[in-house]
Amino acid sequence: MSGVRLSRSPDLGKNIRVSFEFFPPKSEQMEDRLWQTVKRLEPLRPEFFSVTYGAGGTTRERTGRTVARILKETPVEAAAHITCVDATRAEVDACIRQFASLGINRFVALRGDPTNGSGGKFKPTDGGYQNAIELVAALKAINSDFDIAVSAYPEKHPESPDFATDIDFLKRKIDNGATRAITQCFFENQHYQDYVERVRKAGIDIPILPGILPIHDFWQVKSFCERNGTHIPNWLEQRFEGLKNDPQTHALVAAAVAAEQVTELIEQGVTDFHFYTLNRSEPVYALCQLIGIRPSY
Ligand code: FAD
């Protein structure tokens, strides 16, 4: 007889670490909802919360304010995403310094996408940072103690000619000071496993947190994935077939899909997860319950 499956181990929750990503709210109503989500997830003692940065710096003020509020009102570490889009080096540096003045010392450093929507080719602003490699260096030049995470692409970035180029980019971000990578969402766990194998072969040993996106609306997720290069497998599409006007069944199927993905990754030895919450607590709270993470108060 083989031993207990990893995902059914009585000590499961002790060995798993999670982090949660939010986007900055646009209205008071959305802010209330985000705050309810933060308060619900806080007792799960995540490693960190992170808050995205809108296209072209449009959320700069809201991103900073949201991260600063998390730091002030919860015991959880919080990271601000930051991008190079539509800003000169001096403007990006000023934003970093302003975030630092709010007590923020964790960042997720990203190049970003063109403001006219992802899918187009990125053109750096005149006098701006060219990519996330340069942005990581800029953050470290401002404060060498900053904790910096960067992106990683299990199916390679759509602009990348091949995996070797893509992984070389990741390596250069790490050489400049990044200590953690968070992946783009994916639905075939094999893509993540193959990617981690490639990355390790390239001598990269930092944590590569799988970015898990619980599906809130399959058709929206499909369209987002078409733009960001994430493959939607046929089996996944089939599971949501006929559910456009049946939100209850859609939600149950989505929960089952996410549960399957996460437990399979645990069986494969994954212990750290980053959840794209879309500012909703329910799906990720249930996933945490499933993987043994309980509120500490
Ligand atoms: P980089 O790491 O600079 O480049 C990405 C890849 O593009 C490289 O690995 C390389 O393969 C390829 N590439 C780039 N330039 C070249 C070149 N000249 N030649 C060859 N290959 C090249 N976007 C936001 O606007 N706000 C956010 O808050 C945000 N958060 C994110 C969080 C995570 C975890 C992830 C995975 C993505 C996030 N994004 C966000 C999206 C991100 O901005 C886009 O995916 C963007 O297209 C690339 O940004 P990057 O930091 O990965 O770029």
Side-chain angles (χ1 to χ4, degrees), residues 21-22 24 50-57 59 63 80-85 108-114 118-122 130-135 150-154 156-170 173 181-185 195 209 211 224 228 274 276:
E21 183 171 310
F22 309 121
S50 81
V51 180
T52 60
Y53 192 84
T59 70
T63 298
H81 293 216
I82 186 161
T83 76
C84 322
V85 180
V108 182
L110 302 140
R111 185 198 71 186
D113 285 314
S118 56
K121 213 169 157 37
F122 174 82
Q130 304 272 326
N131 51 39
I133 303 169
E134 290 188 1
L135 181 58
V150 290
S151 63
Y153 297 90
K156 80 176 182 58
H157 188 276
E159 280 169 51
S160 188
D162 48 42
F163 273 106
T165 311
D166 205 51
I167 291 172
D168 182 54
F169 249 72
L170 178 62
K173 292 189 272 192
I182 304 171
T183 77
Q184 182 60 277
C185 65
Y195 178 74
L209 310 189
F224 167 72
N228 75 19
H274 182 78
Y276 294 110

Side-chain angles (χ1 to χ4, degrees), residues 41-60:
L41 299 179
E42 171 197 315
L44 298 177
R45 294 286 170 140
E47 294 295 297
F48 64 92
F49 289 134
S50 81
V51 180
T52 60
Y53 192 84
T58 45
T59 70
R60 170 181 170 158

Side-chain angles (χ1 to χ4, degrees), residues 13 16-22 37-50 70 74-79 106 180 209 271-275 277 284-285 288 293-297:
I16 305 287
R17 287 168 296 273
V18 294
S19 51
F20 300 111
E21 183 171 310
F22 309 121
T37 297
V38 168
K39 284 292 167 189
R40 176 103 163 117
L41 299 179
E42 171 197 315
L44 298 177
R45 294 286 170 140
E47 294 295 297
F48 64 92
F49 289 134
S50 81
I70 291 173
T74 83
V76 180
E77 295 281 342
R106 278 185 177 238
R180 185 183 301 106
L209 310 189
T271 52
D272 293 69
F273 293 90
H274 182 78
F275 291 106
T277 70
V284 289
Y285 195 88
C288 287
I293 296 180
R294 301 284 179 269
S296 54
Y297 47 87

Side-chain angles (χ1 to χ4, degrees), residues 107-109 132-133 135-137 139-140 144 146-151 169-182 204-207:
F107 292 88
V108 182
I133 303 169
L135 181 58
V136 174
L139 281 155
K140 280 286 177 189
S144 59
F146 282 156
D147 174 297
I148 303 172
V150 290
S151 63
F169 249 72
L170 178 62
K171 209 162 189 297
R172 289 159 66 194
K173 292 189 272 192
I174 297 163
D175 289 344
N176 282 354
T179 51
R180 185 183 301 106
I182 304 171
I204 292 170
D205 59 3
I206 62 164

